[in-house]
Amino acid sequence: MRGHSVPSFYTKMKFKEQVKELLEKGLEEHPSLFLIDFSISSDFKISVVIDGDNGVTLQDCIDVSRSIEHNLDREEQDFSLEVASAGATSPLVLPRQYKKNVGRTLEVLTDTEKYEGKLIEASDDSIVLEWKSREPKKIGKGKETVVKTAEISYLSIKKAVVVISF
């Protein structure tokens, strides 16, 4: 492959470390923002997904993008960059995302069950969901509405999404 250089593993690792540092600095300047996902493909396409305690604005994405892009030299390494916010339908990943969604309805899938309920609490280790259920009366005929809760450890959550209702 004469005349065409393939970036070495070392070059890719060095580039990734450089981008990661710039990304961390960019996020430090915006304390309400936090990283959800970060990757660099083999053809140097940088993908960053962020979320924020108060949501993410277009300006937030631009600011984070600039903190990376303006500090890299395209002459040294050509790249493409995409900074996006975690979408409304994206699964929740970090405890910080659960905490910002307290009061909203979640659909949570664990190894053994599927829950849908209002997120009433989010700690560093688990969440608490609450929902109403129609159950047979303890005495007499018919059904009654019962409020139920479940504490679910983050470790047992396979997938959790905010239920969008109109």
Side-chain angles (χ1 to χ4, degrees):
M1 295 219 317
R2 204 178 275 184
H4 185 275
S5 66
V6 174
S8 69
F9 177 75
Y10 174 75
T11 306
K12 286 181 183 172
M13 290 309 294
K14 190 174 166 222
F15 183 74
K16 186 168 186 167
E17 281 306 307
Q18 191 180 5
V19 172
K20 191 170 192 239
E21 258 179 55
L22 294 169
L23 176 58
E24 286 169 359
K25 280 184 188 162
L27 290 173
E28 278 173 21
E29 293 170 20
H30 299 84
S32 72
L33 299 178
F34 50 95
L35 184 64
I36 298 299
D37 193 30
F38 161 63
S39 63
I40 300 177
S41 68
S42 57
D43 60 347
F44 294 93
K45 180 181 190 299
I46 305 165
S47 293
V48 177
V49 179
I50 56 176
D51 202 347
D53 297 323
N54 310 307
V56 178
T57 65
L58 178 59
Q59 190 60 51
D60 292 332
C61 291
I62 292 168
D63 292 346
V64 171
S65 176
R66 283 184 181 151
S67 67
I68 297 169
E69 192 170 15
H70 288 214
N71 294 294
L72 291 174
D73 184 359
R74 283 186 194 275
E75 297 298 314
E76 202 174 292
Q77 178 57 62
D78 194 28
F79 64 90
S80 63
L81 172 63
E82 178 183 273
V83 176
S85 64
T89 57
S90 298
L92 303 179
V93 195
L94 303 173
R96 193 166 172 181
Q97 287 178 292
Y98 287 91
K99 289 174 183 172
K100 84 170 209 175
N101 282 294
V102 167
R104 297 181 79 181
T105 300
L106 299 187
E107 187 175 282
V108 178
L109 190 64
T110 67
D111 287 330
T112 55
E113 299 215 32
K114 182 178 179 180
Y115 300 91
E116 186 171 314
K118 186 177 188 177
L119 179 62
I120 58 170
E121 193 180 311
S123 70
D124 290 337
D125 307 308
S126 64
I127 61 170
V128 177
L129 291 181
E130 179 182 274
W131 67 95
K132 290 184 172 123
S133 175
R134 295 286 292 161
E135 299 192 350
K137 286 184 178 177
K138 304 231 185 310
I139 300 170
K141 292 183 177 174
K143 292 187 172 206
E144 61 185 345
T145 301
V146 182
V147 175
K148 301 199 133 201
T149 61
E151 183 172 350
I152 306 164
S153 152
Y154 291 124
L155 297 173
S156 67
I157 297 174
K158 290 283 172 239
K159 184 178 180 182
V161 292
V162 174
V163 176
I164 312 288
S165 54
F166 299 96

